[in-house]
Amino acid sequence: MRIGILGYGNLGQGVEFAIKDNLDAELVAVFTRREPSKIKINTPNVPIVKISEIADWKDKIDVLILCGGSATDLPVQTPEFAKLFNVVDSFDTHAKIPQHFAKVDEAAKSSNHIAVISVGWDPGLFSLARVYSNAVLPNGKDYTFWGKGVSQGHSDAIRRIKGVKNAKQYTIPVDTALEAVRSGSNPELTTRQKHTRECFVVLEDGADTAEVERQIKTMPNYFDEYDTTVHFITEEELQRDHSGLAHGGFVIRSGKTGQDKQHSHIVEFSLKLDSNPEFTSNVLVAYARAAYRLNKEGQAGCKTVLDIPPAYLSDKSVEELRAHYL
Amino acid sequence: MRIGILGYGNLGQGVEFAIKDNLDAELVAVFTRREPSKIKINTPNVPIVKISEIADWKDKIDVLILCGGSATDLPVQTPEFAKLFNVVDSFDTHAKIPQHFAKVDEAAKSSNHIAVISVGWDPGLFSLARVYSNAVLPNGKDYTFWGKGVSQGHSDAIRRIKGVKNAKQYTIPVDTALEAVRSGSNPELTTRQKHTRECFVVLEDGADTAEVERQIKTMPNYFDEYDTTVHFITEEELQRDHSGLAHGGFVIRSGKTGQDKQHSHIVEFSLKLDSNPEFTSNVLVAYARAAYRLNKEGQAGCKTVLDIPPAYLSDKSVEELRAHYL
C-alpha cells in the first residue's frame, strides 16, 4: 500500500518511522505547505512536494495520512482531500466529531473513497475500550484517567498569563483514585479526586511570582477545580527536563452481574507511551491499512474506529489470526 | 431481539441474568437435554423445552446462545443449530478453532445464518487485545498472564491422582514478571517465571500425603515447569473457601518506535472477574446483538470477534456512540 503524508511535524515524522515497521506499506511522498527544499526527511529518495501539486498524485497513492492539527487544519483538509484519496486523520476535538464526520462522509461518498477520522488513542483506542466494555458490562460505570503527560491546552493557557515566558503542564492521575476504581467499589469521584496538575513555568524578567501562581491556580475550568502545583524554573531546565512527549492513561469500566448484582468485574485498558505522536502515528498506519482494504472491497464514506472490524488493521490474514491470535 | 439459551449450567444461567441488563433482549426459551420439569430458572413465564423440540422454535428466536462445553457439546451443536438459528458460542479450544470455524461456516452459509464462535474473554476480549495491540505496535512482544483463577484442567489432573478425593488449582501470575513486562524491558520469561500454581487438595482416608504432593509437583506439562504449592484441606474447607468462580488476566504488548527504536510503549488490557461464567455470558449477549444485526443486513456465515465492528455490540446508535463514546 502506497502512503502519502500530509504535514511533516512530530506526527508526520512518526508516520514515516511507523511505515518502516509495516512491511506492506511504502512511503511515496510527503506533502507540505512549507517550502519543500527546507524540509529534510529520514527516508531516502522520497519526494517532498508542495501541497498545491497534490492532485497530480491522485493515482499514485492508496492512502493519504493527514498529520495536521484539529483546530484549523483537519476541518478543512479531511473533507477536501477525501475527494482525491482514501484518507486517515487524528481529529481529536471530541465535541465536534459529529459535524466533522458529516462533512467528511459527504466528500468521501461523492468520490468513492474511504475516510477514517479520529484515529489515535483518545479518540481511538480509548474509544474502543469504552464501547467494548460498555457492551459487555451494561450495568456499570466508566472511568477515564489521563497521564502522566503534557496537556498542550493547559500549557498554552499558562503561557497566555502576563509575565510567563514558557510553560509545560502535566496531567497526573491520582493513584488512590485509580485504586478505588480497581477495587470495584464504583466510587463517585470529583474532578479534584481524579487528577492533579503540575506546572513548570519560566518567568519573564521582573514578573510577579506570587501573582502568576495565583492566576494559574484560580484559572476557571483549567485549574480551579484541581490541586495544582507550580514550579518556577529556568528556560534551560524546561528544555532539558520537560521536552519529552510521553503520555498515557487508563480506561476502566467497573460493573456488576448476577441475580443480586453480587459479582464485581473490572475491565481495564491502559497505555504508557514514551512518545505520544509516534504511538498515534502507528495507530494511523494500522487504520490506513483498513481504509485501503475497505475501499478495495468497494466501500466508501466516512468511518471511525467503531465501524471497522479488528482484523482489517492487521497485516496478517484472517486465517493466520484465527489460528494464532484468537 | 428474542434470545434462546441452550444448556442451563453456570453459563446458561449467566446469560439469563445478562439478558435482564440488556433492555433490547428478551429470553424466550431455555432448551435442555435434561428433563425440563427438573430445571428451575430465575425468569418467570419462560418455557423450558426439551432439545428434541428445538426445530419448532425456528421462527420464534432471533439468536440461540449455546452454553455447552467445548470438548464434546459445541463441536456438534454449533454446526447443527447454525442451520436453524443465528448462533453464538464460547468454543475455547484454541488449537481447534480453524476446523470448528470451517464446519460452522458451511452450515451457517447454507442456511443464511450468522454464527459467531469463540466468544468470551480468552478467546474473545483477550484476542481483540492481541490483534489491536499487534497492529498498532508491529515492533514488539506479546505477554499474556492468566489469573488469579481456577484452572479446570489442572484441577481435573490432580483429581485423577490415586488417593485424591477432590482438588482445586489456582493459576497465579507472578507480580515481579508483570512489573518487568510493564517496565518496557521486553524480558524473556520462562514458564516458571510467569505463573505459579497453588493447589488445594482433599485426600481419601489413608492416602499418602507426601506421595500425592510428589506426584502433583512432578506431573509433566501440568506442574513440572512451575513452582507449585500444595495445601491439604478438608472437603468442608474446600467447599467453603474454594467454590468461587473468580478469574482474570492480563494481555500486555510492549513495543518500540522511533528512528533508533528509542521509545517504549506499553499497551495493557486486563480483567478482574468475580464470576468467570457470568462475565463470559455478558460477552455472549453483546455478540448475540451483533449476530442479529449482521443477519438482518443480509450477511451469513461464521464470524469471530475479529470480524465484527465494535459498534455492532452496542445497544446505542452509531450517532450516539460517535457523539459520546468516541
Side-chain angles (χ1 to χ4, degrees):
Chain A
M1 101 187 131
R2 299 165 300 171
I3 304 281
I5 292 173
L6 172 55
Y8 194 76
N10 283 331
L11 198 59
Q13 186 178 258
V15 170
E16 183 188 14
F17 294 147
I19 286 170
K20 293 183 188 167
D21 282 332
N22 287 274
L23 301 180
D24 58 343
E26 180 198 358
L27 177 61
V28 296
V30 171
F31 301 94
T32 180
R33 283 181 299 213
R34 293 182 273 165
E35 167 53 41
S37 65
K38 298 223 167 109
I39 294 174
K40 253 190 82 68
I41 67 169
N42 300 283
T43 315
N45 306 319
V46 169
I48 300 162
V49 181
K50 196 90 190 138
I51 194 171
S52 53
E53 294 165 23
I54 199 168
D56 301 342
W57 291 75
K58 196 175 165 352
D59 300 316
K60 298 175 198 157
I61 284 173
D62 295 312
V63 186
L64 180 69
I65 300 183
L66 304 173
C67 298
S70 295
T72 55
D73 298 332
L74 299 175
V76 177
Q77 289 177 349
T78 312
E80 182 177 348
F81 296 118
K83 291 181 190 152
L84 296 174
F85 305 97
N86 297 312
V87 296
V88 180
D89 83 16
S90 63
F91 184 78
D92 66 359
T93 312
H94 288 261
K96 294 188 177 165
I97 287 174
Q99 74 190 69
H100 188 56
F101 183 93
K103 280 176 67 181
V104 174
D105 193 45
E106 197 190 331
K109 278 191 177 140
S110 73
S111 62
N112 283 315
H113 290 111
I114 287 282
V116 190
I117 62 162
S118 300
V119 170
W121 58 275
D122 196 0
L125 302 187
F126 273 22
S127 322
L128 292 171
R130 285 188 283 265
V131 169
Y132 277 118
S133 63
N134 272 268
V136 302
L137 277 181
N139 186 277
K141 206 162 150 44
D142 287 313
Y143 300 88
T144 303
F145 293 86
W146 293 273
K148 182 183 177 178
V150 169
S151 161
Q152 208 51 60
H154 286 76
S155 302
D156 289 346
I158 298 172
R159 282 192 285 262
R160 285 191 293 265
I161 294 172
K162 189 165 170 284
V164 171
K165 189 181 161 209
N166 206 345
K168 281 280 169 88
Q169 191 273 173
Y170 295 92
T171 303
I172 306 168
V174 175
D175 276 337
T176 53
L178 268 169
E179 289 314 314
V181 170
R182 288 180 181 136
S183 76
S185 66
N186 285 9
E188 290 291 338
L189 296 169
T190 63
T191 299
R192 190 179 301 276
Q193 287 170 321
K194 286 181 70 189
H195 295 94
T196 56
R197 299 197 176 279
E198 189 170 20
C199 315
F200 293 86
V201 180
V202 181
L203 292 176
E204 309 271 13
D205 284 347
D208 179 343
T209 310
E211 174 58 16
V212 168
E213 181 162 346
R214 191 194 66 75
Q215 283 198 37
I216 294 172
K217 290 186 170 179
T218 58
M219 195 185 297
N221 304 317
Y222 284 85
F223 293 99
D224 63 339
E225 291 177 42
Y226 296 86
D227 289 335
T228 301
T229 317
V230 180
H231 307 276
F232 293 100
I233 60 174
T234 65
E235 181 70 35
E236 293 67 41
E237 287 169 326
L238 192 82
Q239 298 306 330
R240 186 191 66 206
D241 302 333
H242 302 286
S243 294
L245 299 165
H247 218 311
F250 306 81
V251 175
I252 304 177
R253 186 158 174 92
S254 165
K256 306 269 187 197
T257 66
Q259 173 102 24
D260 306 308
K261 299 280 174 279
Q262 72 274 37
H263 294 131
S264 279
H265 306 278
I266 304 290
V267 181
E268 176 168 346
F269 179 74
S270 69
L271 294 172
K272 202 175 123 204
L273 312 174
D274 273 0
S275 168
N276 182 358
E278 285 179 10
F279 184 78
T280 300
S281 301
N282 270 272
V283 184
L284 286 165
V285 172
Y287 278 96
R289 178 179 294 121
Y292 176 56
R293 288 181 177 169
L294 288 165
N295 191 241
K296 274 210 298 189
E297 289 178 7
Q299 295 199 49
C302 188
K303 307 273 180 188
T304 76
V305 298
L306 305 178
D307 304 310
I308 296 177
Y312 279 68
L313 308 191
S314 174
D315 63 348
K316 294 165 189 71
S317 69
V318 284
E319 291 78 16
E320 190 178 348
L321 290 176
R322 278 200 293 273
H324 301 295
Y325 291 80
L326 199 66
Chain B
M1 100 186 132
R2 300 165 299 172
I3 304 280
I5 292 172
L6 172 55
Y8 194 74
N10 282 332
L11 198 60
Q13 185 177 258
V15 170
E16 183 189 13
F17 295 147
I19 287 170
K20 295 183 187 168
D21 282 331
N22 286 274
L23 301 180
D24 57 343
E26 181 198 359
L27 178 60
V28 295
V30 171
F31 301 95
T32 178
R33 283 181 301 211
R34 293 181 273 165
E35 167 52 42
S37 64
K38 298 225 166 106
I39 294 175
K40 255 189 80 68
I41 67 169
N42 299 284
T43 315
N45 306 320
V46 169
I48 299 163
V49 181
K50 196 91 188 133
I51 193 171
S52 54
E53 295 164 23
I54 199 168
D56 302 343
W57 291 76
K58 196 176 165 353
D59 300 317
K60 298 176 199 157
I61 284 174
D62 295 313
V63 186
L64 181 69
I65 300 182
L66 304 173
C67 298
S70 296
T72 56
D73 299 333
L74 299 175
V76 177
Q77 289 177 349
T78 313
E80 183 177 346
F81 296 118
K83 290 178 189 154
L84 296 173
F85 305 98
N86 297 313
V87 296
V88 180
D89 82 16
S90 63
F91 184 79
D92 66 359
T93 313
H94 288 262
K96 294 186 177 165
I97 287 173
Q99 73 189 71
H100 188 56
F101 183 93
K103 280 176 68 180
V104 174
D105 193 46
E106 197 189 333
K109 279 191 176 140
S110 73
S111 62
N112 282 316
H113 290 111
I114 287 281
V116 190
I117 62 161
S118 300
V119 170
W121 58 275
D122 196 0
L125 301 187
F126 273 22
S127 321
L128 292 171
R130 285 188 282 266
V131 169
Y132 278 117
S133 63
N134 271 267
V136 302
L137 277 181
N139 186 278
K141 206 161 149 45
D142 288 314
Y143 299 87
T144 302
F145 293 85
W146 293 273
K148 182 184 174 175
V150 169
S151 160
Q152 209 49 60
H154 286 76
S155 302
D156 289 346
I158 298 172
R159 282 192 285 264
R160 286 192 294 266
I161 294 171
K162 190 166 170 283
V164 172
K165 189 181 162 209
N166 207 344
K168 282 279 170 88
Q169 191 274 172
Y170 294 92
T171 304
I172 306 167
V174 175
D175 276 339
T176 51
L178 268 169
E179 288 315 314
V181 170
R182 288 179 182 138
S183 76
S185 68
N186 285 11
E188 291 290 338
L189 296 169
T190 63
T191 299
R192 188 178 304 274
Q193 287 170 320
K194 285 180 71 189
H195 296 93
T196 56
R197 299 197 176 278
E198 190 169 21
C199 315
F200 293 86
V201 180
V202 182
L203 291 177
E204 309 273 13
D205 284 347
D208 179 343
T209 309
E211 174 58 16
V212 168
E213 181 163 346
R214 192 195 64 76
Q215 282 198 37
I216 294 172
K217 290 187 170 178
T218 59
M219 195 185 297
N221 304 318
Y222 284 85
F223 293 100
D224 63 338
E225 291 178 42
Y226 296 86
D227 289 335
T228 301
T229 316
V230 180
H231 307 277
F232 294 99
I233 60 173
T234 66
E235 182 70 34
E236 293 68 41
E237 288 169 325
L238 191 82
Q239 298 305 331
R240 186 190 68 205
D241 303 331
H242 303 286
S243 294
L245 298 165
H247 219 310
F250 306 81
V251 175
I252 305 176
R253 187 162 172 88
S254 165
K256 307 267 185 196
T257 66
Q259 173 101 16
D260 306 308
K261 300 280 174 279
Q262 73 274 37
H263 294 131
S264 279
H265 306 278
I266 304 289
V267 181
E268 176 168 347
F269 178 75
S270 70
L271 295 171
K272 201 176 122 201
L273 311 174
D274 273 0
S275 168
N276 182 358
E278 285 179 9
F279 184 78
T280 300
S281 301
N282 270 273
V283 184
L284 286 165
V285 172
Y287 278 96
R289 178 179 293 121
Y292 176 56
R293 288 181 177 169
L294 288 165
N295 191 240
K296 273 210 298 190
E297 289 179 6
Q299 294 198 50
C302 188
K303 306 273 181 189
T304 76
V305 299
L306 305 178
D307 304 311
I308 296 177
Y312 279 68
L313 310 191
S314 174
D315 63 348
K316 295 165 187 74
S317 70
V318 285
E319 290 78 15
E320 189 178 350
L321 291 175
R322 277 199 294 271
H324 301 295
Y325 291 79
L326 199 67

